[in-house]
Amino acid sequence: MTPAFKVVIPARFASSRLPGKPLLDLGGKPMVVRVAERAHLSGAEEIWVATDHLEVRAACEAHEFAALMTRSDHPTGTDRLAEVVEQRGWSNDTIVVNVQGDEPLIDPEVIIQTARQLAVSGADIATVAHPIHDPADFFNPNVVKVVCRADGDAAYFSRAPIPYARDHFAREAGGSSLPENFPAYRHVGLYAYRASFLKAYAGLTAAPTENFEALEQLRALWHGYRISVTLIDAAPVPGVDTPEDAERMRKLFDRA
């Protein structure tokens, strides 16, 4: 059974690599609207775009999606979600799924699965991972890895190659292959939160590991919050971070 949940789509207008990214035209609609349409297919009881720009709000409302104006100085998308929770007055047990505003092809089923994982696990946060099969991904610091406990909660996230197969890599110079049944998982940045966590988030100090790894989720682990991990079979369709990504996505929508 799928629990009731809300979706918030952070949509910051400024982007160093792709300014005005939420308004990128994809097949005649702004990218943020395409994301909201995918979120709508998940059956979320409410969908809110959280932005810092009037043009983004106007674009959403023109397509009948609700948008909230939020502060422009939020350091993270999580801080922006916390402001939405405060503005809307949501109760502590509300499940809030953070859907990134640059993923116009996100699978609605993964949104549902993440919300369900949070409800079933009783954790503070739920997120997503999938198995790593390519050694290049395993050793790539831009690919974030997660190691889980027996109960499915995250033990640690890292850009380092974890867990490390000592004997296998000693035999396979340069990490040319991964061992069979290797429990290596790539973290996918989709999160479901309990509103109680989002209300507490602004008061949490950064973890020492967070500063070095540049991974925001380590703050929650550092302070004892539970992050439950739901597994999917394969990587989702990549989002839009660069002009090259934007051109790739435009072509996909032009062909649709």
Side-chain angles (χ1 to χ4, degrees), residues 8 41 70 82 94 97 148 225 231:
V8 176
L41 295 175
T70 51
T94 302
V97 181
C148 296
Y225 289 95
L231 298 178

Side-chain angles (χ1 to χ4, degrees), residues 26-28 34 105 248-256:
L26 297 177
R34 294 292 189 185
L105 292 177
R248 168 181 54 82
M249 197 64 72
R250 281 196 193 98
K251 289 178 179 177
L252 287 173
F253 276 91
D254 287 344
R255 290 198 298 266

Side-chain angles (χ1 to χ4, degrees), residues 7-10 35 39 97-103 106 111 190-191:
V7 165
V8 176
I9 304 169
V35 176
V97 181
N98 178 3
V99 175
Q100 298 298 321
D102 56 7
E103 297 189 10
I106 188 168
I111 297 174
L190 177 69
Y191 293 96

Side-chain angles (χ1 to χ4, degrees), residues 80-254:
R80 199 172 302 282
L81 259 71
E83 184 180 350
V84 173
V85 168
E86 180 183 2
Q87 284 197 41
R88 299 299 302 164
W90 290 337
S91 63
N92 285 343
D93 59 352
T94 302
I95 294 176
V96 184
V97 181
N98 178 3
V99 175
Q100 298 298 321
D102 56 7
E103 297 189 10
L105 292 177
I106 188 168
D107 185 351
E109 287 299 323
V110 176
I111 297 174
I112 295 168
Q113 187 174 338
T114 309
R116 187 183 296 128
Q117 183 75 13
L118 184 61
V120 170
S121 67
D124 306 289
I125 305 167
T127 192
V128 181
H130 68 82
I132 297 175
H133 301 294
D134 186 343
D137 287 339
F138 183 66
F139 288 98
N140 183 351
N142 293 318
V143 173
V144 178
K145 276 71 68 174
V146 58
V147 171
C148 296
R149 302 194 313 233
D151 61 2
D153 282 4
Y156 192 67
F157 298 85
S158 183
R159 298 182 183 278
I162 60 170
Y164 195 81
R166 184 195 64 178
D167 295 343
H168 179 86
F169 294 139
R171 294 191 302 270
E172 300 286 332
S176 58
S177 69
L178 300 179
E180 289 186 21
N181 303 315
F182 189 43
Y185 297 98
R186 178 178 188 163
H187 178 231
V188 177
L190 177 69
Y191 293 96
Y193 300 97
R194 295 190 187 277
S196 55
F197 170 80
L198 291 170
K199 291 176 183 180
Y201 179 78
L204 300 180
T205 55
T209 49
E210 173 188 354
N211 294 330
F212 288 101
E213 293 261 24
L215 296 175
E216 176 191 339
Q217 62 269 40
L218 293 176
R219 186 179 311 183
L221 290 182
W222 172 256
H223 287 279
Y225 289 95
R226 290 178 54 204
I227 303 178
S228 183
V229 181
T230 185
L231 298 178
I232 59 176
D233 293 333
V237 177
V240 177
D241 288 319
T242 66
E244 293 76 19
D245 294 337
E247 185 58 30
R248 168 181 54 82
M249 197 64 72
R250 281 196 193 98
K251 289 178 179 177
L252 287 173
F253 276 91
D254 287 344

